[in-house]
Amino acid sequence: MMRGSSTTISEPPADCARCPRLAAFRAQNRVAFPGFHNAPVPSCGTGAPRLLVVGLAPALKGANRTGVPFVGDRSGLWLRDGLARVALGDAVCRITNAVRCVPPANRPTAAEVAACRPFLAAELSGPVPMRAVLALGRVAHDATLAALGLPHRPRPFTHGVEHALPGGAVLVDCYHPSPQNTHTGRLTRDMFDAVLERVREIVG
Ligand code: SF4
């Protein structure tokens, strides 16, 4: 599809050590929160998505707790309620993160985003007629372009803007539905729904 024709979507091992800082944080969290997932959070949804949603990284008490992207916190509720409102369900949608391990203060470093890039690249080279990639925030946007081998400078992150990708898919930008954005009004429900409605049109 977009790149290559792999039929395998690879995931990192539970003790992936490519990011020493995140591996150390994971070890701390296994002690502090023994009931949590505390491992790289695998993507979820169909293995042949027409829409790939790319977030930033698991939140400590959200996806790092539940082990499912965008499940267990307010960002997840926003996303999943929004997808349900436009009837984009698991049959067509897959959800992943640019960085699969929870970073301290929700802030991965550039090196950590780069280290996790092969796993995002594998998602983007799936067996699919993928039509849209929804990037939630600038880090997800830049990581997606980098995973596709495309420079981001000609395609800067801009909420609501669409970028054509090789192979005919479209990258759609949206502010991340984090409480910092939704509580401040930077991302309103109407803004979010407008982006999701457009994604729904693209996906068909
Ligand atoms: S963020 Fe990705 S590359 Fe880094 S340790 Fe976790 S799974 Fe491995």
Side-chain angles (χ1 to χ4, degrees):
M1 83 95 252
M2 281 192 213
R3 304 171 319 110
S5 58
S6 168
T7 56
T8 301
I9 295 177
S10 49
E11 295 287 352
D15 285 312
C16 182
R18 292 169 64 93
C19 304
R21 186 181 75 120
L22 302 189
F25 192 47
R26 180 194 308 144
Q28 286 177 30
N29 290 325
R30 284 177 177 171
V31 174
F33 306 106
F36 285 16
H37 173 71
N38 291 322
V41 174
S43 307
C44 67
T46 177
R50 285 152 66 193
L51 166 65
L52 181 67
V53 179
V54 183
L56 171 58
L60 177 61
K61 295 182 179 178
N64 178 66
R65 175 173 62 85
T66 63
V68 184
F70 286 93
V71 169
D73 60 11
R74 290 179 186 170
S75 300
L77 273 178
W78 256 74
L79 175 63
R80 289 176 180 278
D81 285 353
L83 291 173
R85 284 195 296 277
V86 296
L88 282 168
D90 283 350
V92 296
C93 182
R94 188 168 175 87
I95 303 176
T96 192
N97 278 308
V99 173
R100 280 170 163 65
C101 294
V102 55
N106 297 322
R107 288 191 183 157
T109 66
E112 289 159 356
V113 177
C116 217
R117 186 180 301 154
F119 306 112
L120 178 58
E123 296 287 351
L124 291 162
S125 63
V128 234
M130 192 184 292
R131 296 190 180 167
V133 179
L134 175 62
L136 299 176
R138 183 186 56 76
V139 173
H141 167 97
D142 289 353
T144 297
L145 292 175
L148 292 169
L150 300 171
H152 60 76
R153 186 162 292 186
R155 307 171 184 81
F157 173 83
T158 309
H159 175 85
V161 167
E162 300 169 22
H163 310 268
L165 297 176
V170 178
L171 173 64
V172 182
D173 290 343
C174 183
Y175 291 133
H176 193 288
S178 64
Q180 293 95 318
N181 287 333
T182 57
H183 287 179
T184 59
R186 188 175 200 218
L187 179 64
T188 65
R189 180 68 58 85
D190 285 349
M191 290 167 66
F192 197 47
D193 284 356
V195 171
L196 294 177
E197 292 281 4
R198 177 60 188 139
V199 168
R200 185 75 182 86
E201 284 176 16
I202 295 168
V203 168

